[in-house]
Amino acid sequence: MKHILMLSAVLLLSIVTSAQEKLPVIAPYHSQNIRELYMDTVNHHTALGPILHEDTSTIYTNPDTTKRSLLYRKLFREHLLEFRNEDYNVFIDFLPDFQIGKTRNGSKNTWLNTRGARIQANIGKNFYFESSFYENQGVFPYYLDSYIRNQRVVPGQGEVKDYNKGKGFDYNYASALLSFTPNKYLNVTMGYGQNMIGDGYRSLLLSDISFSYPYLKVTGTLGNVQYTSMWAQFMDLHSKDFSQAYRDMGYIKKWGVFHFLDWNVSKKLTIGLFDAVIWPDADSTGRKRGFDWSYMNPIIYLRPAEFSAGSSDNALVGMNLKYKMLPKTTIYGQLLLDEFKLKEFFGGKGWWANKWSTQLGFRSFDVFKVNKLDLQGEFNLVRPFTYSYNTTLINYEHYNQSLAHPLGANFYEVLGIATYRLKRWYARGELMYSQYGLDPDAKTSYGGDISKSYDLRAKDYGNKIAQGIKTDLLYAQGTVAYVLNPKYNLRLEMSLAGRQVKNDIGKSTDLIFSFGLRSSFRQLYYDF
């Protein structure tokens, strides 16, 4: 909450000090209109999210809507509260997420009661501010209920408290963003939320699946090159288990610094280079380290900085590629190296520290010449022990969730997603298959659980994908929605999901139905 108060103070200051500019304003793209960037004849920087753009719709008023009743306009056309001026706009919305459902496995009744609120504001063409808050109570399907009890967090939404005598969960979460764009070359964003690097549904570099965290991001654009430096602070929920020093201090924080260089080589090809370092706020004895100023230089290659600091911080490097194969079809991919030795890689002996992951996918729009029928396919592979470390103080994790893929490591995954829009109707179908390896006990690691120390590994050589208890996961979901108000994505939504998990221990199958009144543009990932 203190981060939101700080951002609000900065916003008020900016209102007083900003120059009187005319709109249009800077605002973030939402998922449904990012498709336009991929289909444009100009090659845009699409890998770094959230993507900001000039939004002229904030000054547009449809004359027809002014003739409608106030109730009609607020329910179907406008924000709940709108304050418009030639120099600023402020929009305030109530964001409900009310769902009821049922699972076939045990005939469990599920429900979600979310009350949210969001404020958006822009001042001139330089400042954009957004903040949202959600208060939630819910009862989840069995697999999510088990995950929440084990990890103590709702995926992407923070820590929980028991609700209704332990039958459900009570939790809340918030996000905020303040963006300053003084010119077309520079953007500075301070926020409390998530970021993503990649063109896929998943990201193996930095994903938006985890809980909110504070960050400062500086992005410069010059010609066809976009360069971003970001500093962030994460939370280690395992830290209380290490020593008495940690129990007295509460959850220990850890820091991250990220660099991403995105180069539009041509109208078709984009190459992105990525590196990151995670380091602890304190050592295993509780001794404070704090922010390491040797990582403050925004234009560096992080591995030399980490080495010069005399540390063993967790360093990762990677690449993001995008190629427009056809006017409406783009292929993309990623490669990440954690710890990697060329000799061991080509030795073919399955050395445990050959930690890497890769992705290959495509996006295709207006498939079969049907307007707004879009298709996405993706393959992800992550080697055992990737993203893990010998301590959770510097592994690639925040709030007990990976900063990359929700399955952690030691898996491969194939998924396909189809979406279709017709006026206010929206339909989405997803099919995902994954094979991964589970650990037989708490004292042995086969590399899938990135919260476990890699010192618990069962062997040094002979490691392969899905080792351990080989498990097959099949997940399918179909969703149909009618959008009542596109301003804040208020919609009536019905969903049916099927999930099957099978290994040598047993088999679990479930069918999950839900219906509700939903809002906001949040992306929540329950497909694991």
Side-chain angles (χ1 to χ4, degrees):
M1 186 61 67
K2 65 179 182 180
H3 304 289
I4 300 175
L5 294 175
M6 179 177 64
L7 288 174
S8 301
V10 175
L11 172 66
L12 294 175
L13 179 63
S14 66
I15 293 176
V16 176
T17 60
S18 63
Q20 298 298 302
E21 299 285 354
K22 303 297 183 183
L23 302 174
V25 301
I26 299 298
Y29 271 117
H30 295 301
S31 58
Q32 58 261 45
N33 51 26
I34 287 181
R35 69 191 301 273
E36 302 170 4
L37 298 180
Y38 286 94
M39 293 192 297
D40 202 328
T41 56
V42 178
N43 196 2
H44 295 274
H45 297 286
T46 54
L48 182 68
I51 302 174
L52 299 176
H53 74 121
E54 281 196 346
D55 182 12
T56 57
S57 66
T58 55
I59 59 172
Y60 177 74
T61 301
N62 190 334
D64 293 337
T65 64
T66 59
K67 301 176 184 179
R68 302 280 189 169
S69 68
L70 178 65
L71 178 62
Y72 176 89
R73 298 202 314 268
K74 296 305 177 184
L75 185 59
F76 297 108
R77 296 287 184 181
E78 299 177 357
H79 297 278
L80 179 62
L81 297 175
E82 298 187 354
F83 305 94
R84 297 177 180 270
N85 188 280
E86 64 177 4
D87 299 317
Y88 64 86
N89 291 326
V90 178
F91 308 123
I92 301 174
D93 293 303
F94 171 66
L95 305 179
D97 195 350
F98 304 137
Q99 297 183 61
I100 56 173
K102 199 174 188 65
T103 68
R104 189 183 69 177
N105 186 355
S107 298
K108 181 180 182 180
N109 294 320
T110 63
W111 54 267
L112 181 66
N113 178 12
T114 295
R115 292 86 60 208
R118 180 181 67 168
I119 178 172
Q120 297 172 280
N122 52 71
I123 303 92
K125 60 188 295 186
N126 302 114
F127 286 93
Y128 173 78
F129 172 79
E130 179 177 308
S131 182
S132 58
F133 176 80
Y134 300 89
E135 173 66 30
N136 318 265
Q137 292 85 35
V139 174
F140 293 87
Y142 285 107
Y143 83 100
L144 280 176
D145 184 275
S146 177
Y147 176 92
I148 294 168
R149 294 186 190 280
N150 289 332
Q151 301 296 329
R152 310 199 308 273
V153 297
V154 178
Q157 299 161 85
E159 199 168 10
V160 297
K161 298 182 294 183
D162 281 342
Y163 177 78
N164 191 18
K165 299 180 180 179
K167 296 179 181 179
F169 304 99
D170 189 329
Y171 58 100
N172 59 72
Y173 65 100
S175 64
L177 180 150
L178 174 63
S179 174
F180 174 55
T181 308
N183 52 56
K184 65 179 181 179
Y185 304 108
L186 181 65
N187 173 263
V188 180
T189 298
M190 180 170 60
Y192 183 70
Q194 303 89 13
N195 294 270
M196 182 166 179
I197 297 177
D199 291 279
Y201 175 67
R202 313 287 200 191
S203 175
L204 304 180
L205 303 182
L206 179 64
S207 178
D208 59 353
I209 68 170
S210 64
F211 183 53
S212 299
Y213 51 85
Y215 65 89
L216 173 65
K217 182 167 58 177
V218 180
T219 300
T221 303
L222 186 61
N224 295 328
V225 176
Q226 183 186 75
Y227 183 79
T228 299
S229 291
M230 185 177 76
W231 300 266
Q233 186 184 73
F234 305 114
M235 194 77 73
D236 181 16
L237 268 61
H238 302 281
S239 57
K240 281 192 174 183
D241 300 330
F242 281 99
S243 66
Q244 184 62 46
Y246 281 89
R247 295 189 189 100
D248 295 339
M249 295 172 64
Y251 298 136
I252 299 301
K253 300 174 180 63
K254 51 187 172 182
W255 300 88
V257 55
F258 305 83
H259 294 151
F260 184 62
L261 175 67
D262 202 43
W263 176 30
N264 288 333
V265 181
S266 65
K267 291 183 177 180
K268 293 187 175 183
L269 176 64
T270 300
I271 299 175
L273 301 178
F274 167 85
D275 62 4
V277 167
I278 307 294
W279 75 93
D281 190 64
D283 61 24
S284 59
T285 65
R287 184 178 60 185
K288 186 78 171 178
R289 176 178 173 182
F291 185 84
D292 192 330
W293 290 94
S294 62
Y295 295 128
M296 194 60 195
N297 187 339
I299 309 176
I300 57 173
Y301 184 58
L302 290 174
R303 200 53 154 163
E306 180 234 356
F307 179 78
S308 65
S311 71
S312 56
D313 297 333
N314 187 10
L316 307 93
V317 297
M319 175 180 291
N320 188 81
L321 298 173
K322 179 185 68 175
Y323 182 75
K324 185 176 288 188
M325 188 170 60
L326 298 170
K328 294 186 178 182
T329 299
T330 296
I331 57 175
Y332 59 85
Q334 290 184 334
L335 174 66
L336 178 128
L337 304 179
D338 195 343
E339 292 179 46
F340 184 87
K341 286 187 178 180
L342 196 63
K343 178 182 177 181
E344 295 286 359
F345 179 80
F346 287 106
K349 296 181 180 180
W351 187 46
W352 73 274
N354 271 343
K355 302 192 297 182
W356 55 271
S357 58
T358 189
Q359 177 187 90
L360 181 63
F362 73 89
R363 290 175 177 260
S364 191
F365 305 97
D366 299 338
V367 180
F368 306 123
K369 297 183 180 181
V370 178
N371 186 37
K372 294 187 178 180
L373 174 60
D374 304 334
L375 184 64
Q376 183 174 13
E378 191 170 293
F379 172 76
N380 295 293
L381 182 151
V382 182
R383 284 273 302 169
F385 304 104
T386 306
Y387 309 115
S388 64
Y389 217 75
N390 60 6
T391 169
T392 58
L393 294 176
I394 52 175
N395 69 340
Y396 208 59
E397 186 182 54
H398 167 61
Y399 252 85
N400 286 1
Q401 280 193 276
S402 170
L403 288 170
H405 197 286
L407 289 176
N410 190 26
F411 72 89
Y412 67 83
E413 173 193 55
V414 181
L415 64 87
I417 299 172
T419 61
Y420 178 62
R421 296 180 184 276
L422 179 63
K423 297 182 180 178
R424 294 196 177 215
W425 287 97
Y426 170 76
R428 180 185 186 274
E430 177 185 352
L431 182 63
M432 183 269 280
Y433 169 76
S434 178
Q435 188 173 85
Y436 56 90
L438 295 174
D439 296 331
D441 54 63
K443 296 182 179 180
T444 305
S445 175
Y446 280 95
D449 184 353
I450 69 171
S451 298
K452 282 187 174 181
S453 168
Y454 53 49
D455 290 337
L456 298 175
R457 60 187 179 274
K459 51 190 175 180
D460 287 344
Y461 289 92
N463 294 280
K464 58 183 180 180
I465 299 290
Q467 65 182 5
I469 303 173
K470 186 177 293 185
T471 303
D472 296 301
L473 168 64
L474 182 63
Y475 181 92
Q477 183 180 35
T479 301
V480 177
Y482 182 79
V483 180
L484 299 171
N485 193 326
K487 290 294 186 182
Y488 51 100
N489 202 20
L490 180 67
R491 62 200 186 275
L492 291 171
E493 181 178 291
M494 181 173 62
S495 174
L496 182 65
R499 184 177 183 271
Q500 182 185 87
V501 180
K502 182 173 61 174
N503 55 31
D504 291 340
I505 299 176
K507 178 180 176 181
S508 173
T509 302
D510 203 359
L511 197 64
I512 305 161
F513 171 79
S514 66
F515 175 80
L517 177 67
R518 311 192 66 189
S519 185
S520 88
F521 296 93
R522 297 172 298 163
Q523 178 68 63
L524 302 176
Y525 299 87
Y526 294 155
D527 50 351
F528 59 89

